[in-house]
Structure formats: structure tokens, C-alpha cells
Amino acid sequence: MTQTSSARAIAPIRVWGRLSSANVQKVLWCLDDLRIGYNIVLAGGTHGGLSVDEFRALNPNQLVPVLLDRDIALWESNVIVRYLCKQYAPDTSYRADPLQQALEERWTDWYGTELGPHMTALWGHFKRGKVLAQETLARQLVRATQLWAMIENAIAGTTFIGGDAPGVSDYSLGPAIHRWLSINDNAVSPNLLRWHSALAIRPAYQHHIVAAPL
Ligand SMILES: N[C@@H](CCC(=O)N[C@@H](CS)C(=O)NCC(=O)O)C(=O)O
């Protein structure tokens, strides 16, 4: 199935992915939030299509998302989001000062290595039937709570991680904060709630993340 979004990029961009994947959601919410036109090719999960030679040529890892721009295939969701911000929104979503940009983007890499593995385990437990032993679950929740508290502190006084407008880390962590608040209703983190509300009023976030299929 192919669907077309609003146009802005010069050459049509194509994205391969499935709508339930957080890594794909990052890319789609970024594209639509920045009003970059693209076509989506549903792939992965029940859509299949990852083990054919044509797809392997796009991504030798045989994983989604893949983004094709100007006939060049990019994979790794965070790399794609960085590219889109820098290429298509350098004035709003990517800082000219490399140090300021690095400060913002720390959270993207940090999420991948520190918080992401805990979120994968918790999401699997609560939503995908990959049930954890009670003790493991308790440990994962404690550690995830500690790590989310770092972002809670980091965003005191700013609307988005990127400042006044969403930046690379808002796009890359967007699916995760929604998942965290979905599995953890007792979150008493005013800054995380405020940040999530600021994301959730954006139509692209609503569409690709709040209304995403499991
Ligand atoms: N580090 C990669 C991970 C990509 C990845 O693990 N993709 C998963 C979906 S989240 C996938 O393609 N799984 C196989 C499938 O969906 O069939 C990224 O951030 O893009």
C-alpha cells in the first residue's frame, strides 16, 4: 500500500516501514512535522518484504525504516532524523552552533544505549506479551524511572528538548515518551507531562504516535 503526504522536498522521498515500529514512527512524525513530502511503502512485520533482494540492496540489515532521498538509501532511524532536520529544517530544528546541537543530540544517543533497552523490555512486557518475571519487571521500572528523571530535569524551562521547536531528540524520543506515559500512569513528572502535551498537540505526533497501532 502506498500513501502520499504533503509535498515539500524537491525529489520524492520514499520510506519503507510499518506503522507500529517506534523507529519508523520517529521518521514519519519528523517528516510530517517538517512538512516534507514522501511516499510510504509498508514493509516489515506482517507486511513482510524485508528478505527480498531489492530490499536487501537498500538495507543489508533487512530492517526498517529505510528512507530513500535522491536515490540514496539511508537506514538507522536516528541518522535519518538527523539528516532530515539538517537538510530540510536547518533554521528551526538543527542548530548552526555544533556545540549547542551536540548538547541537544546527546539525548538521542543516550536513549539508544541507556534508556532504550529498558523501554524495549517494558513495552514488550506491557503491550506485546513478552512477560517479565516480577523481580525483573520491578528492576526495569526503577531504572527507567531514574533515567526518565534525567530528561525531566534537562527540559525544565524549555518547551522541547530542541528548545522552542522540536529538534533531533524530540523526533527520536517522541515515540518513547508516549510509550512511557502509556505504561506508567502514575508518572509524577511535570516537565515530561508538559513536554508530551506540547508534542501531542502537533498533528503529525497525534497521527503517527498517539494514534499508532500496537
Ligand atoms: N537501529 C535500527 C533498528 C531497526 C529495527 O530494529 N527495526 C525493526 C523494527 S523497530 C525491524 O525492522 N524489525 C523487523 C520487522 O519489523 O519485520 C534503527 O534505529 O533504525
Side-chain angles (χ1 to χ4, degrees):
M1 187 177 110
T2 300
Q3 86 194 30
T4 306
S5 179
S6 56
R8 171 177 150 177
I10 297 162
I13 287 174
R14 292 177 85 188
V15 179
W16 283 255
R18 60 178 164 86
L19 305 182
S20 55
S21 152
N23 288 322
V24 175
Q25 288 166 13
K26 289 175 203 178
V27 171
L28 299 181
W29 117 254
C30 177
L31 280 162
D32 273 330
D33 198 60
L34 297 179
R35 301 183 196 291
I36 303 167
Y38 65 97
N39 297 321
I40 180 159
V41 181
L42 293 175
T46 55
H47 307 292
L50 306 190
S51 50
V52 297
D53 289 345
E54 291 82 356
F55 188 79
R56 198 178 295 114
L58 295 172
N59 182 359
N61 300 291
Q62 297 177 261
L63 295 170
V64 287
V66 169
L67 178 138
L68 192 77
D69 193 8
R70 288 177 282 156
D71 284 335
I72 293 178
L74 287 179
W75 35 269
E76 282 302 327
S77 56
N78 295 331
V79 168
I80 294 171
V81 163
R82 285 189 174 99
Y83 164 69
L84 292 173
C85 290
K86 194 169 186 179
Q87 174 70 21
Y88 293 105
D91 299 333
T92 53
S93 297
Y94 207 90
R95 291 179 174 80
D97 178 349
L99 185 54
Q100 291 302 319
Q101 182 59 26
L103 275 176
E104 191 256 277
E105 279 191 47
R106 284 181 301 185
W107 297 106
T108 292
D109 291 57
W110 168 89
Y111 180 83
T113 53
E114 302 301 324
L115 178 50
H118 301 289
M119 288 299 298
T120 301
L122 289 168
W123 191 248
H125 173 86
F126 286 111
K127 302 287 182 181
R128 296 208 167 138
K130 296 178 185 167
V131 177
L132 299 171
Q134 210 50 40
E135 203 181 299
T136 311
L137 174 63
R139 220 178 30 246
Q140 294 284 8
L141 278 169
V142 166
R143 188 62 186 140
T145 303
Q146 289 168 342
L147 292 166
W148 277 113
M150 293 185 193
I151 303 200
E152 167 73 14
N153 293 335
I155 58 174
T158 69
T159 306
F160 299 102
I161 301 179
D164 295 336
V168 170
S169 295
D170 297 282
Y171 294 121
S172 64
L173 273 68
I177 183 57
H178 185 68
R179 288 182 172 192
W180 176 238
L181 296 178
S182 319
I183 59 179
N184 190 36
D185 344 318
N186 297 321
V188 275
S189 309
N191 297 335
L192 291 182
L193 291 171
R194 188 179 39 75
W195 173 43
H196 181 257
S197 299
L199 295 172
I201 57 171
R202 301 177 83 88
Y205 191 88
Q206 270 297 328
H207 182 67
H208 291 295
I209 294 172
V210 177
L214 284 179

mmCIF file of all heavy atoms in Angstrom, residues 131-168:
data_model
loop_
_atom_site.group_PDB
_atom_site.id
_atom_site.type_symbol
_atom_site.label_atom_id
_atom_site.label_comp_id
_atom_site.label_asym_id
_atom_site.label_seq_id
_atom_site.Cartn_x
_atom_site.Cartn_y
_atom_site.Cartn_z
ATOM 1 N N VAL A 131 6.302 -11.340 28.685
ATOM 2 C CA VAL A 131 6.151 -11.097 30.121
ATOM 3 C C VAL A 131 7.465 -11.293 30.875
ATOM 4 O O VAL A 131 8.171 -12.290 30.679
ATOM 5 C CB VAL A 131 5.043 -12.026 30.682
ATOM 6 C CG1 VAL A 131 4.898 -11.864 32.187
ATOM 7 C CG2 VAL A 131 3.728 -11.708 29.982
ATOM 8 N N LEU A 132 7.765 -10.330 31.739
ATOM 9 C CA LEU A 132 8.989 -10.377 32.544
ATOM 10 C C LEU A 132 8.666 -10.971 33.909
ATOM 11 O O LEU A 132 7.546 -10.809 34.412
ATOM 12 C CB LEU A 132 9.533 -8.957 32.759
ATOM 13 C CG LEU A 132 9.927 -8.153 31.516
ATOM 14 C CD1 LEU A 132 10.232 -6.702 31.905
ATOM 15 C CD2 LEU A 132 11.141 -8.776 30.826
ATOM 16 N N ALA A 133 9.655 -11.615 34.504
ATOM 17 C CA ALA A 133 9.493 -12.071 35.889
ATOM 18 C C ALA A 133 9.293 -10.837 36.772
ATOM 19 O O ALA A 133 9.811 -9.759 36.453
ATOM 20 C CB ALA A 133 10.732 -12.844 36.320
ATOM 21 N N GLN A 134 8.541 -11.024 37.854
ATOM 22 C CA GLN A 134 8.176 -9.914 38.741
ATOM 23 C C GLN A 134 9.385 -9.076 39.176
ATOM 24 O O GLN A 134 9.360 -7.848 39.141
ATOM 25 C CB GLN A 134 7.447 -10.495 39.958
ATOM 26 C CG GLN A 134 6.415 -9.590 40.581
ATOM 27 C CD GLN A 134 5.422 -9.003 39.559
ATOM 28 O OE1 GLN A 134 4.976 -9.682 38.626
ATOM 29 N NE2 GLN A 134 5.106 -7.728 39.719
ATOM 30 N N GLU A 135 10.439 -9.780 39.536
ATOM 31 C CA GLU A 135 11.635 -9.087 40.046
ATOM 32 C C GLU A 135 12.317 -8.280 38.931
ATOM 33 O O GLU A 135 12.763 -7.142 39.135
ATOM 34 C CB GLU A 135 12.602 -10.142 40.572
ATOM 35 C CG GLU A 135 13.586 -9.651 41.592
ATOM 36 C CD GLU A 135 14.500 -10.804 42.014
ATOM 37 O OE1 GLU A 135 13.987 -11.814 42.543
ATOM 38 O OE2 GLU A 135 15.711 -10.692 41.758
ATOM 39 N N THR A 136 12.363 -8.878 37.749
ATOM 40 C CA THR A 136 12.978 -8.188 36.603
ATOM 41 C C THR A 136 12.148 -6.956 36.244
ATOM 42 O O THR A 136 12.689 -5.876 35.985
ATOM 43 C CB THR A 136 13.037 -9.122 35.377
ATOM 44 O OG1 THR A 136 13.589 -10.355 35.790
ATOM 45 C CG2 THR A 136 13.841 -8.537 34.254
ATOM 46 N N LEU A 137 10.825 -7.131 36.252
ATOM 47 C CA LEU A 137 9.934 -6.016 35.935
ATOM 48 C C LEU A 137 10.159 -4.866 36.913
ATOM 49 O O LEU A 137 10.299 -3.700 36.499
ATOM 50 C CB LEU A 137 8.476 -6.491 35.990
ATOM 51 C CG LEU A 137 7.418 -5.409 35.826
ATOM 52 C CD1 LEU A 137 7.528 -4.751 34.450
ATOM 53 C CD2 LEU A 137 6.012 -5.997 36.017
ATOM 54 N N ALA A 138 10.214 -5.183 38.181
ATOM 55 C CA ALA A 138 10.398 -4.136 39.206
ATOM 56 C C ALA A 138 11.717 -3.408 38.974
ATOM 57 O O ALA A 138 11.795 -2.174 39.024
ATOM 58 C CB ALA A 138 10.355 -4.764 40.594
ATOM 59 N N ARG A 139 12.766 -4.182 38.646
ATOM 60 C CA ARG A 139 14.089 -3.581 38.422
ATOM 61 C C ARG A 139 14.077 -2.668 37.188
ATOM 62 O O ARG A 139 14.616 -1.571 37.195
ATOM 63 C CB ARG A 139 15.104 -4.707 38.237
ATOM 64 C CG ARG A 139 16.416 -4.431 38.920
ATOM 65 C CD ARG A 139 17.461 -5.531 38.815
ATOM 66 N NE ARG A 139 17.416 -6.345 37.627
ATOM 67 C CZ ARG A 139 17.112 -7.649 37.620
ATOM 68 N NH1 ARG A 139 16.800 -8.279 38.739
ATOM 69 N NH2 ARG A 139 17.108 -8.345 36.494
ATOM 70 N N GLN A 140 13.426 -3.153 36.136
ATOM 71 C CA GLN A 140 13.357 -2.350 34.898
ATOM 72 C C GLN A 140 12.602 -1.044 35.145
ATOM 73 O O GLN A 140 12.988 0.015 34.632
ATOM 74 C CB GLN A 140 12.638 -3.141 33.791
ATOM 75 C CG GLN A 140 13.373 -4.375 33.313
ATOM 76 C CD GLN A 140 14.541 -4.036 32.390
ATOM 77 O OE1 GLN A 140 14.913 -2.883 32.211
ATOM 78 N NE2 GLN A 140 15.159 -5.060 31.831
ATOM 79 N N LEU A 141 11.514 -1.134 35.916
ATOM 80 C CA LEU A 141 10.718 0.079 36.174
ATOM 81 C C LEU A 141 11.502 1.096 36.996
ATOM 82 O O LEU A 141 11.470 2.299 36.718
ATOM 83 C CB LEU A 141 9.414 -0.287 36.911
ATOM 84 C CG LEU A 141 8.283 -0.790 36.020
ATOM 85 C CD1 LEU A 141 7.144 -1.379 36.857
ATOM 86 C CD2 LEU A 141 7.746 0.325 35.109
ATOM 87 N N VAL A 142 12.228 0.606 37.977
ATOM 88 C CA VAL A 142 13.022 1.511 38.821
ATOM 89 C C VAL A 142 14.079 2.215 37.978
ATOM 90 O O VAL A 142 14.235 3.441 38.016
ATOM 91 C CB VAL A 142 13.687 0.744 39.997
ATOM 92 C CG1 VAL A 142 14.762 1.587 40.672
ATOM 93 C CG2 VAL A 142 12.632 0.313 40.999
ATOM 94 N N ARG A 143 14.784 1.438 37.143
ATOM 95 C CA ARG A 143 15.861 2.035 36.348
ATOM 96 C C ARG A 143 15.302 2.999 35.299
ATOM 97 O O ARG A 143 15.837 4.091 35.104
ATOM 98 C CB ARG A 143 16.677 0.913 35.679
ATOM 99 C CG ARG A 143 17.924 1.417 34.998
ATOM 100 C CD ARG A 143 18.892 2.064 35.980
ATOM 101 N NE ARG A 143 20.029 2.676 35.303
ATOM 102 C CZ ARG A 143 20.575 3.834 35.647
ATOM 103 N NH1 ARG A 143 20.108 4.530 36.684
ATOM 104 N NH2 ARG A 143 21.603 4.315 34.989
ATOM 105 N N ALA A 144 14.203 2.611 34.649
ATOM 106 C CA ALA A 144 13.618 3.506 33.639
ATOM 107 C C ALA A 144 13.158 4.808 34.309
ATOM 108 O O ALA A 144 13.367 5.899 33.753
ATOM 109 C CB ALA A 144 12.447 2.817 32.936
ATOM 110 N N THR A 145 12.584 4.711 35.486
ATOM 111 C CA THR A 145 12.127 5.911 36.203
ATOM 112 C C THR A 145 13.317 6.827 36.496
ATOM 113 O O THR A 145 13.243 8.049 36.307
ATOM 114 C CB THR A 145 11.415 5.510 37.511
ATOM 115 O OG1 THR A 145 10.338 4.629 37.184
ATOM 116 C CG2 THR A 145 10.883 6.722 38.263
ATOM 117 N N GLN A 146 14.434 6.221 36.924
ATOM 118 C CA GLN A 146 15.640 7.035 37.213
ATOM 119 C C GLN A 146 16.132 7.737 35.957
ATOM 120 O O GLN A 146 16.521 8.907 35.968
ATOM 121 C CB GLN A 146 16.773 6.144 37.734
ATOM 122 C CG GLN A 146 16.553 5.613 39.120
ATOM 123 C CD GLN A 146 17.570 4.506 39.456
ATOM 124 O OE1 GLN A 146 18.205 3.924 38.570
ATOM 125 N NE2 GLN A 146 17.696 4.220 40.750
ATOM 126 N N LEU A 147 16.110 7.015 34.846
ATOM 127 C CA LEU A 147 16.645 7.595 33.609
ATOM 128 C C LEU A 147 15.715 8.664 33.043
ATOM 129 O O LEU A 147 16.175 9.721 32.591
ATOM 130 C CB LEU A 147 16.923 6.477 32.594
ATOM 131 C CG LEU A 147 18.074 5.548 32.991
ATOM 132 C CD1 LEU A 147 18.083 4.276 32.146
ATOM 133 C CD2 LEU A 147 19.421 6.267 32.882
ATOM 134 N N TRP A 148 14.403 8.419 33.093
ATOM 135 C CA TRP A 148 13.480 9.455 32.617
ATOM 136 C C TRP A 148 13.613 10.722 33.475
ATOM 137 O O TRP A 148 13.394 11.836 32.996
ATOM 138 C CB TRP A 148 12.023 8.950 32.646
ATOM 139 C CG TRP A 148 11.657 8.147 31.423
ATOM 140 C CD1 TRP A 148 11.365 6.809 31.372
ATOM 141 C CD2 TRP A 148 11.537 8.627 30.072
ATOM 142 N NE1 TRP A 148 11.080 6.430 30.079
ATOM 143 C CE2 TRP A 148 11.169 7.521 29.265
ATOM 144 C CE3 TRP A 148 11.697 9.877 29.461
ATOM 145 C CZ2 TRP A 148 10.966 7.635 27.875
ATOM 146 C CZ3 TRP A 148 11.494 9.987 28.086
ATOM 147 C CH2 TRP A 148 11.137 8.873 27.316
ATOM 148 N N ALA A 149 13.979 10.550 34.745
ATOM 149 C CA ALA A 149 14.146 11.721 35.629
ATOM 150 C C ALA A 149 15.268 12.632 35.112
ATOM 151 O O ALA A 149 15.258 13.843 35.359
ATOM 152 C CB ALA A 149 14.433 11.270 37.054
ATOM 153 N N MET A 150 16.221 12.071 34.391
ATOM 154 C CA MET A 150 17.293 12.921 33.831
ATOM 155 C C MET A 150 16.721 13.858 32.776
ATOM 156 O O MET A 150 17.113 15.015 32.675
ATOM 157 C CB MET A 150 18.383 12.053 33.204
ATOM 158 C CG MET A 150 19.143 11.231 34.210
ATOM 159 S SD MET A 150 20.496 10.373 33.360
ATOM 160 C CE MET A 150 20.943 9.212 34.633
ATOM 161 N N ILE A 151 15.800 13.336 31.971
ATOM 162 C CA ILE A 151 15.188 14.213 30.960
ATOM 163 C C ILE A 151 14.261 15.201 31.643
ATOM 164 O O ILE A 151 14.198 16.378 31.263
ATOM 165 C CB ILE A 151 14.425 13.391 29.901
ATOM 166 C CG1 ILE A 151 15.379 12.400 29.261
ATOM 167 C CG2 ILE A 151 13.804 14.315 28.854
ATOM 168 C CD1 ILE A 151 14.944 11.887 27.941
ATOM 169 N N GLU A 152 13.535 14.738 32.640
ATOM 170 C CA GLU A 152 12.665 15.634 33.418
ATOM 171 C C GLU A 152 13.466 16.877 33.857
ATOM 172 O O GLU A 152 13.016 18.005 33.707
ATOM 173 C CB GLU A 152 12.139 14.850 34.641
ATOM 174 C CG GLU A 152 11.482 15.665 35.731
ATOM 175 C CD GLU A 152 10.097 16.177 35.361
ATOM 176 O OE1 GLU A 152 9.514 15.693 34.372
ATOM 177 O OE2 GLU A 152 9.613 17.103 36.052
ATOM 178 N N ASN A 153 14.669 16.655 34.347
ATOM 179 C CA ASN A 153 15.493 17.789 34.798
ATOM 180 C C ASN A 153 16.026 18.600 33.623
ATOM 181 O O ASN A 153 16.070 19.825 33.677
ATOM 182 C CB ASN A 153 16.681 17.284 35.627
ATOM 183 C CG ASN A 153 16.215 16.680 36.927
ATOM 184 O OD1 ASN A 153 15.142 17.028 37.424
ATOM 185 N ND2 ASN A 153 16.988 15.760 37.478
ATOM 186 N N ALA A 154 16.402 17.903 32.560
ATOM 187 C CA ALA A 154 17.036 18.593 31.422
ATOM 188 C C ALA A 154 16.071 19.541 30.714
ATOM 189 O O ALA A 154 16.509 20.524 30.107
ATOM 190 C CB ALA A 154 17.579 17.565 30.431
ATOM 191 N N ILE A 155 14.771 19.252 30.744
ATOM 192 C CA ILE A 155 13.836 20.081 29.973
ATOM 193 C C ILE A 155 13.091 21.104 30.831
ATOM 194 O O ILE A 155 12.155 21.738 30.342
ATOM 195 C CB ILE A 155 12.829 19.232 29.156
ATOM 196 C CG1 ILE A 155 12.030 18.309 30.073
ATOM 197 C CG2 ILE A 155 13.527 18.453 28.054
ATOM 198 C CD1 ILE A 155 10.914 17.549 29.342
ATOM 199 N N ALA A 156 13.511 21.250 32.077
ATOM 200 C CA ALA A 156 12.897 22.300 32.906
ATOM 201 C C ALA A 156 13.160 23.630 32.201
ATOM 202 O O ALA A 156 14.302 23.954 31.878
ATOM 203 C CB ALA A 156 13.524 22.301 34.289
ATOM 204 N N GLY A 157 12.124 24.381 31.915
ATOM 205 C CA GLY A 157 12.337 25.701 31.319
ATOM 206 C C GLY A 157 12.391 25.709 29.796
ATOM 207 O O GLY A 157 12.550 26.766 29.204
ATOM 208 N N THR A 158 12.290 24.560 29.143
ATOM 209 C CA THR A 158 12.202 24.598 27.666
ATOM 210 C C THR A 158 10.957 23.825 27.230
ATOM 211 O O THR A 158 10.505 22.913 27.920
ATOM 212 C CB THR A 158 13.419 23.966 26.948
ATOM 213 O OG1 THR A 158 13.401 22.566 27.176
ATOM 214 C CG2 THR A 158 14.720 24.544 27.396
ATOM 215 N N THR A 159 10.419 24.217 26.084
ATOM 216 C CA THR A 159 9.210 23.537 25.595
ATOM 217 C C THR A 159 9.574 22.159 25.063
ATOM 218 O O THR A 159 8.907 21.169 25.352
ATOM 219 C CB THR A 159 8.568 24.381 24.467
ATOM 220 O OG1 THR A 159 8.365 25.689 24.969
ATOM 221 C CG2 THR A 159 7.234 23.791 24.029
ATOM 222 N N PHE A 160 10.637 22.121 24.263
ATOM 223 C CA PHE A 160 11.077 20.863 23.647
ATOM 224 C C PHE A 160 12.537 20.620 24.041
ATOM 225 O O PHE A 160 13.224 21.544 24.483
ATOM 226 C CB PHE A 160 10.975 20.963 22.115
ATOM 227 C CG PHE A 160 9.574 21.210 21.629
ATOM 228 C CD1 PHE A 160 9.176 22.484 21.219
ATOM 229 C CD2 PHE A 160 8.641 20.180 21.591
ATOM 230 C CE1 PHE A 160 7.878 22.719 20.784
ATOM 231 C CE2 PHE A 160 7.344 20.412 21.153
ATOM 232 C CZ PHE A 160 6.957 21.683 20.747
ATOM 233 N N ILE A 161 13.012 19.397 23.807
ATOM 234 C CA ILE A 161 14.439 19.151 24.044
ATOM 235 C C ILE A 161 15.233 20.067 23.117
ATOM 236 O O ILE A 161 16.281 20.592 23.477
ATOM 237 C CB ILE A 161 14.813 17.666 23.801
ATOM 238 C CG1 ILE A 161 14.000 16.760 24.733
ATOM 239 C CG2 ILE A 161 16.307 17.448 24.027
ATOM 240 C CD1 ILE A 161 14.276 15.263 24.542
ATOM 241 N N GLY A 162 14.691 20.281 21.922
ATOM 242 C CA GLY A 162 15.360 21.143 20.947
ATOM 243 C C GLY A 162 15.200 22.632 21.226
ATOM 244 O O GLY A 162 15.705 23.441 20.459
ATOM 245 N N GLY A 163 14.476 23.017 22.253
ATOM 246 C CA GLY A 163 14.270 24.445 22.556
ATOM 247 C C GLY A 163 12.842 24.850 22.244
ATOM 248 O O GLY A 163 11.894 24.204 22.696
ATOM 249 N N ASP A 164 12.688 25.909 21.419
ATOM 250 C CA ASP A 164 11.345 26.395 21.105
ATOM 251 C C ASP A 164 10.642 25.553 20.048
ATOM 252 O O ASP A 164 9.427 25.640 19.875
ATOM 253 C CB ASP A 164 11.406 27.850 20.581
ATOM 254 C CG ASP A 164 11.897 28.782 21.670
ATOM 255 O OD1 ASP A 164 11.740 28.429 22.862
ATOM 256 O OD2 ASP A 164 12.458 29.842 21.325
ATOM 257 N N ALA A 165 11.410 24.823 19.273
ATOM 258 C CA ALA A 165 10.832 23.959 18.231
ATOM 259 C C ALA A 165 11.393 22.552 18.417
ATOM 260 O O ALA A 165 12.485 22.391 18.964
ATOM 261 C CB ALA A 165 11.215 24.483 16.838
ATOM 262 N N PRO A 166 10.653 21.525 17.965
ATOM 263 C CA PRO A 166 11.195 20.169 18.097
ATOM 264 C C PRO A 166 12.517 20.034 17.339
ATOM 265 O O PRO A 166 12.673 20.590 16.253
ATOM 266 C CB PRO A 166 10.105 19.289 17.453
ATOM 267 C CG PRO A 166 8.865 20.104 17.482
ATOM 268 C CD PRO A 166 9.317 21.540 17.362
ATOM 269 N N GLY A 167 13.433 19.316 17.940
ATOM 270 C CA GLY A 167 14.724 19.048 17.301
ATOM 271 C C GLY A 167 14.943 17.550 17.173
ATOM 272 O O GLY A 167 14.019 16.748 17.407
ATOM 273 N N VAL A 168 16.159 17.186 16.839
ATOM 274 C CA VAL A 168 16.501 15.775 16.598
ATOM 275 C C VAL A 168 16.028 14.883 17.747
ATOM 276 O O VAL A 168 15.408 13.840 17.541
ATOM 277 C CB VAL A 168 18.028 15.636 16.398
ATOM 278 C CG1 VAL A 168 18.454 14.180 16.393
ATOM 279 C CG2 VAL A 168 18.464 16.330 15.107
#
